[in-house]
Amino acid sequence: MTTAEFWKGRRVFVTGHTGFKGSWLTRWLTMLGASVSGYAWDRDEHKLFPLIGAAPEVHTVWGDVRNRQRLDAALREAAPEVIFHLAAQPLVRTSYQFPADTFEVNVMGTVNLLEAVASAVDSGTPVRAVVNVTTDKCYDNREWIWGYRETDPLGGYDPYSSSKACSELVTQAYRNSYFHPARYAEHGVAVATARAGNVVGGGDDSQDRLVPDCLRSFAAGLRPLLRSPAATRPWQHVLEPLSGYLLLAEKLVQEGAEYAAAWNFGPEEQSVHSVEKVAVRLAALWGEGAGIDIAGISGLHEAGELQLDSTRARRLLGWRSRWSVEQALQKTVDWHRALDAGQDMRNISEQQIREYMTQNL
């Protein structure tokens, strides 16, 4: 598990810090004592970020990752040692509606971030580690029943998945060309990518995601329609991959070139379940007569079988999943019940992070 000793006082720059993952990550970093600066698009709704309590402790710059000059200036001002790149258009179905925007944000946003890193390093900014967060959907999905490894071919049927595969290739090209591990002694920057499974957790209000859609329907007394009930996904609580990102960043700073690569952070095989099974269990945890309906085919292509092989992270980083799917869903329902009850969500969120950190493996 990551340590407060490492992060206390360390300067960190997070793009997309007001999103679902970004809000939980910045809250965790501030709890660990890091000095966090964030860069996010001011046109998005930022409901979770203030709720979770990170806002007062984070220096925020509003900007678009497609604006290279503004991103470059923000990174130089932050003068970080560690960078987490989470800014993205994160939804498959949205990518069908806005493919050009998806590629611009997810591909050129990565280019701009790495250009800013190269420029900052040349000017003396002490960047040591960069973690580009992509997705499990970056692989060329063959509908295999076994997990994808980091060495499997990249691909992407839909614009979102393809854009994230492109982001992986962009990162690889910059790592090879400007931050090559073999020349680590010269530039001192270790660049890695992180591919996680389907995350759930408190505060995710995205459209066309299973758990948020279900919770909205349950709260309104409605029965959600499942588009692809038989599709399987590697379900995990949001704190699971975030713990991997933090641990990876530590290793990049401490060990450098040895960890500058792609990494999977997915749950154990027993946490790979169908959409229908997860929705039924979520309804049972919600109670109050909650139920689901089957809508059938969605009309847009979505992967049927998908899971990750995280053997490399387990063996080389010592990373492990801590919460089962049951625990992940229960924590998500608990968080939203607390929100509905008007509780202090900063305290609730901190409590869940501390529970996760103290969970025995």
mmCIF file of all heavy atoms in Angstrom, residues 23-46:
data_model
loop_
_atom_site.group_PDB
_atom_site.id
_atom_site.type_symbol
_atom_site.label_atom_id
_atom_site.label_comp_id
_atom_site.label_asym_id
_atom_site.label_seq_id
_atom_site.Cartn_x
_atom_site.Cartn_y
_atom_site.Cartn_z
ATOM 1 N N SER A 23 -11.469 13.217 -8.609
ATOM 2 C CA SER A 23 -11.895 13.727 -7.308
ATOM 3 C C SER A 23 -11.454 12.798 -6.178
ATOM 4 O O SER A 23 -10.939 13.247 -5.146
ATOM 5 C CB SER A 23 -13.419 13.898 -7.275
ATOM 6 O OG SER A 23 -13.839 14.888 -8.180
ATOM 7 N N TRP A 24 -11.664 11.481 -6.366
ATOM 8 C CA TRP A 24 -11.222 10.519 -5.355
ATOM 9 C C TRP A 24 -9.696 10.516 -5.228
ATOM 10 O O TRP A 24 -9.162 10.428 -4.114
ATOM 11 C CB TRP A 24 -11.724 9.121 -5.707
ATOM 12 C CG TRP A 24 -13.145 8.856 -5.316
ATOM 13 C CD1 TRP A 24 -14.248 8.917 -6.112
ATOM 14 C CD2 TRP A 24 -13.625 8.477 -4.018
ATOM 15 N NE1 TRP A 24 -15.381 8.604 -5.393
ATOM 16 C CE2 TRP A 24 -15.043 8.316 -4.113
ATOM 17 C CE3 TRP A 24 -13.003 8.242 -2.790
ATOM 18 C CZ2 TRP A 24 -15.824 7.943 -3.019
ATOM 19 C CZ3 TRP A 24 -13.803 7.862 -1.697
ATOM 20 C CH2 TRP A 24 -15.185 7.727 -1.823
ATOM 21 N N LEU A 25 -8.990 10.647 -6.350
ATOM 22 C CA LEU A 25 -7.524 10.652 -6.299
ATOM 23 C C LEU A 25 -7.000 11.868 -5.564
ATOM 24 O O LEU A 25 -6.109 11.750 -4.703
ATOM 25 C CB LEU A 25 -6.955 10.609 -7.713
ATOM 26 C CG LEU A 25 -5.427 10.667 -7.820
ATOM 27 C CD1 LEU A 25 -4.772 9.488 -7.112
ATOM 28 C CD2 LEU A 25 -4.988 10.735 -9.282
ATOM 29 N N THR A 26 -7.528 13.056 -5.866
ATOM 30 C CA THR A 26 -7.036 14.259 -5.207
ATOM 31 C C THR A 26 -7.384 14.253 -3.717
ATOM 32 O O THR A 26 -6.596 14.721 -2.886
ATOM 33 C CB THR A 26 -7.598 15.526 -5.871
ATOM 34 O OG1 THR A 26 -9.020 15.432 -5.998
ATOM 35 C CG2 THR A 26 -6.991 15.716 -7.252
ATOM 36 N N ARG A 27 -8.554 13.704 -3.356
ATOM 37 C CA ARG A 27 -8.906 13.604 -1.931
ATOM 38 C C ARG A 27 -7.914 12.697 -1.209
ATOM 39 O O ARG A 27 -7.458 13.005 -0.103
ATOM 40 C CB ARG A 27 -10.332 13.043 -1.792
ATOM 41 C CG ARG A 27 -10.789 12.851 -0.339
ATOM 42 C CD ARG A 27 -11.114 14.198 0.311
ATOM 43 N NE ARG A 27 -9.939 15.011 0.560
ATOM 44 C CZ ARG A 27 -9.579 15.466 1.744
ATOM 45 N NH1 ARG A 27 -10.293 15.194 2.803
ATOM 46 N NH2 ARG A 27 -8.523 16.224 1.876
ATOM 47 N N TRP A 28 -7.558 11.577 -1.835
ATOM 48 C CA TRP A 28 -6.598 10.649 -1.246
ATOM 49 C C TRP A 28 -5.221 11.296 -1.136
ATOM 50 O O TRP A 28 -4.560 11.207 -0.091
ATOM 51 C CB TRP A 28 -6.537 9.389 -2.112
ATOM 52 C CG TRP A 28 -5.943 8.185 -1.434
ATOM 53 C CD1 TRP A 28 -5.156 8.171 -0.306
ATOM 54 C CD2 TRP A 28 -6.087 6.817 -1.819
ATOM 55 N NE1 TRP A 28 -4.800 6.881 0.011
ATOM 56 C CE2 TRP A 28 -5.363 6.026 -0.899
ATOM 57 C CE3 TRP A 28 -6.747 6.188 -2.867
ATOM 58 C CZ2 TRP A 28 -5.279 4.644 -1.009
ATOM 59 C CZ3 TRP A 28 -6.672 4.808 -2.970
ATOM 60 C CH2 TRP A 28 -5.945 4.038 -2.046
ATOM 61 N N LEU A 29 -4.794 11.975 -2.182
ATOM 62 C CA LEU A 29 -3.478 12.623 -2.161
ATOM 63 C C LEU A 29 -3.396 13.690 -1.068
ATOM 64 O O LEU A 29 -2.378 13.793 -0.372
ATOM 65 C CB LEU A 29 -3.183 13.249 -3.521
ATOM 66 C CG LEU A 29 -2.768 12.296 -4.640
ATOM 67 C CD1 LEU A 29 -2.829 12.997 -5.993
ATOM 68 C CD2 LEU A 29 -1.348 11.774 -4.388
ATOM 69 N N THR A 30 -4.450 14.481 -0.923
ATOM 70 C CA THR A 30 -4.416 15.519 0.109
ATOM 71 C C THR A 30 -4.433 14.904 1.502
ATOM 72 O O THR A 30 -3.816 15.431 2.433
ATOM 73 C CB THR A 30 -5.583 16.507 -0.051
ATOM 74 O OG1 THR A 30 -6.827 15.801 -0.081
ATOM 75 C CG2 THR A 30 -5.442 17.303 -1.349
ATOM 76 N N MET A 31 -5.144 13.779 1.658
ATOM 77 C CA MET A 31 -5.111 13.073 2.939
ATOM 78 C C MET A 31 -3.700 12.587 3.266
ATOM 79 O O MET A 31 -3.297 12.536 4.433
ATOM 80 C CB MET A 31 -6.075 11.885 2.912
ATOM 81 C CG MET A 31 -7.542 12.261 2.982
ATOM 82 S SD MET A 31 -8.631 10.819 2.753
ATOM 83 C CE MET A 31 -8.160 9.790 4.151
ATOM 84 N N LEU A 32 -2.932 12.235 2.231
ATOM 85 C CA LEU A 32 -1.564 11.758 2.417
ATOM 86 C C LEU A 32 -0.566 12.905 2.605
ATOM 87 O O LEU A 32 0.608 12.660 2.864
ATOM 88 C CB LEU A 32 -1.139 10.909 1.210
ATOM 89 C CG LEU A 32 -1.861 9.566 1.047
ATOM 90 C CD1 LEU A 32 -1.536 8.955 -0.315
ATOM 91 C CD2 LEU A 32 -1.483 8.603 2.170
ATOM 92 N N GLY A 33 -1.038 14.138 2.457
ATOM 93 C CA GLY A 33 -0.180 15.295 2.691
ATOM 94 C C GLY A 33 0.492 15.859 1.465
ATOM 95 O O GLY A 33 1.384 16.719 1.575
ATOM 96 N N ALA A 34 0.087 15.412 0.257
ATOM 97 C CA ALA A 34 0.687 15.921 -0.971
ATOM 98 C C ALA A 34 0.228 17.351 -1.251
ATOM 99 O O ALA A 34 -0.844 17.772 -0.815
ATOM 100 C CB ALA A 34 0.331 15.018 -2.143
ATOM 101 N N SER A 35 1.037 18.083 -1.992
ATOM 102 C CA SER A 35 0.692 19.415 -2.457
ATOM 103 C C SER A 35 0.177 19.276 -3.881
ATOM 104 O O SER A 35 0.955 19.036 -4.810
ATOM 105 C CB SER A 35 1.920 20.335 -2.422
ATOM 106 O OG SER A 35 1.624 21.604 -2.971
ATOM 107 N N VAL A 36 -1.133 19.408 -4.066
ATOM 108 C CA VAL A 36 -1.765 19.030 -5.329
ATOM 109 C C VAL A 36 -2.225 20.254 -6.120
ATOM 110 O O VAL A 36 -2.888 21.145 -5.584
ATOM 111 C CB VAL A 36 -2.972 18.111 -5.079
ATOM 112 C CG1 VAL A 36 -3.586 17.662 -6.406
ATOM 113 C CG2 VAL A 36 -2.557 16.900 -4.253
ATOM 114 N N SER A 37 -1.884 20.249 -7.409
ATOM 115 C CA SER A 37 -2.417 21.214 -8.368
ATOM 116 C C SER A 37 -3.208 20.437 -9.402
ATOM 117 O O SER A 37 -2.828 19.325 -9.791
ATOM 118 C CB SER A 37 -1.293 21.989 -9.052
ATOM 119 O OG SER A 37 -0.574 22.778 -8.130
ATOM 120 N N GLY A 38 -4.323 21.018 -9.861
ATOM 121 C CA GLY A 38 -5.168 20.321 -10.821
ATOM 122 C C GLY A 38 -5.493 21.177 -12.018
ATOM 123 O O GLY A 38 -5.494 22.410 -11.945
ATOM 124 N N TYR A 39 -5.778 20.499 -13.124
ATOM 125 C CA TYR A 39 -6.119 21.179 -14.380
ATOM 126 C C TYR A 39 -7.345 20.480 -14.952
ATOM 127 O O TYR A 39 -7.315 19.270 -15.211
ATOM 128 C CB TYR A 39 -4.946 21.072 -15.354
ATOM 129 C CG TYR A 39 -5.116 21.816 -16.662
ATOM 130 C CD1 TYR A 39 -4.688 23.143 -16.779
ATOM 131 C CD2 TYR A 39 -5.648 21.201 -17.783
ATOM 132 C CE1 TYR A 39 -4.810 23.825 -17.982
ATOM 133 C CE2 TYR A 39 -5.783 21.869 -18.989
ATOM 134 C CZ TYR A 39 -5.358 23.184 -19.085
ATOM 135 O OH TYR A 39 -5.475 23.865 -20.285
ATOM 136 N N ALA A 40 -8.452 21.225 -15.121
ATOM 137 C CA ALA A 40 -9.693 20.600 -15.579
ATOM 138 C C ALA A 40 -10.509 21.580 -16.404
ATOM 139 O O ALA A 40 -10.335 22.804 -16.321
ATOM 140 C CB ALA A 40 -10.512 20.112 -14.388
ATOM 141 N N TRP A 41 -11.430 21.021 -17.178
ATOM 142 C CA TRP A 41 -12.291 21.814 -18.059
ATOM 143 C C TRP A 41 -13.402 22.451 -17.257
ATOM 144 O O TRP A 41 -14.148 21.772 -16.548
ATOM 145 C CB TRP A 41 -12.882 20.883 -19.117
ATOM 146 C CG TRP A 41 -13.366 21.577 -20.345
ATOM 147 C CD1 TRP A 41 -12.953 22.774 -20.841
ATOM 148 C CD2 TRP A 41 -14.348 21.094 -21.256
ATOM 149 N NE1 TRP A 41 -13.602 23.069 -22.004
ATOM 150 C CE2 TRP A 41 -14.473 22.053 -22.294
ATOM 151 C CE3 TRP A 41 -15.129 19.938 -21.315
ATOM 152 C CZ2 TRP A 41 -15.355 21.898 -23.364
ATOM 153 C CZ3 TRP A 41 -16.004 19.783 -22.385
ATOM 154 C CH2 TRP A 41 -16.117 20.755 -23.389
ATOM 155 N N ASP A 42 -13.563 23.761 -17.364
ATOM 156 C CA ASP A 42 -14.552 24.464 -16.552
ATOM 157 C C ASP A 42 -15.960 24.370 -17.104
ATOM 158 O O ASP A 42 -16.913 24.850 -16.499
ATOM 159 C CB ASP A 42 -14.156 25.938 -16.367
ATOM 160 C CG ASP A 42 -14.106 26.705 -17.679
ATOM 161 O OD1 ASP A 42 -14.257 26.076 -18.749
ATOM 162 O OD2 ASP A 42 -13.911 27.932 -17.639
ATOM 163 N N ARG A 43 -16.134 23.704 -18.258
ATOM 164 C CA ARG A 43 -17.483 23.568 -18.822
ATOM 165 C C ARG A 43 -18.199 22.341 -18.289
ATOM 166 O O ARG A 43 -19.390 22.164 -18.516
ATOM 167 C CB ARG A 43 -17.409 23.507 -20.354
ATOM 168 C CG ARG A 43 -16.852 24.780 -20.979
ATOM 169 C CD ARG A 43 -16.901 24.713 -22.492
ATOM 170 N NE ARG A 43 -16.195 25.844 -23.083
ATOM 171 C CZ ARG A 43 -16.087 26.053 -24.397
ATOM 172 N NH1 ARG A 43 -16.665 25.195 -25.240
ATOM 173 N NH2 ARG A 43 -15.430 27.092 -24.859
ATOM 174 N N ASP A 44 -17.493 21.460 -17.642
ATOM 175 C CA ASP A 44 -18.117 20.276 -17.060
ATOM 176 C C ASP A 44 -18.784 20.627 -15.730
ATOM 177 O O ASP A 44 -18.395 21.592 -15.060
ATOM 178 C CB ASP A 44 -17.075 19.183 -16.808
ATOM 179 C CG ASP A 44 -16.615 18.527 -18.093
ATOM 180 O OD1 ASP A 44 -17.388 18.535 -19.065
ATOM 181 O OD2 ASP A 44 -15.482 18.028 -18.126
ATOM 182 N N GLU A 45 -19.769 19.833 -15.359
ATOM 183 C CA GLU A 45 -20.334 19.956 -14.012
ATOM 184 C C GLU A 45 -19.398 19.253 -13.037
ATOM 185 O O GLU A 45 -18.963 18.136 -13.292
ATOM 186 C CB GLU A 45 -21.716 19.309 -13.958
ATOM 187 C CG GLU A 45 -22.777 20.076 -14.719
ATOM 188 C CD GLU A 45 -24.160 19.507 -14.472
ATOM 189 O OE1 GLU A 45 -24.655 19.643 -13.342
ATOM 190 O OE2 GLU A 45 -24.731 18.929 -15.411
ATOM 191 N N HIS A 46 -19.104 19.911 -11.940
ATOM 192 C CA HIS A 46 -18.152 19.353 -10.982
ATOM 193 C C HIS A 46 -18.869 19.112 -9.655
ATOM 194 O O HIS A 46 -18.626 19.787 -8.665
ATOM 195 C CB HIS A 46 -16.967 20.303 -10.797
ATOM 196 C CG HIS A 46 -16.319 20.705 -12.090
ATOM 197 N ND1 HIS A 46 -15.534 19.841 -12.814
ATOM 198 C CD2 HIS A 46 -16.363 21.859 -12.791
ATOM 199 C CE1 HIS A 46 -15.116 20.458 -13.913
ATOM 200 N NE2 HIS A 46 -15.610 21.682 -13.918
#
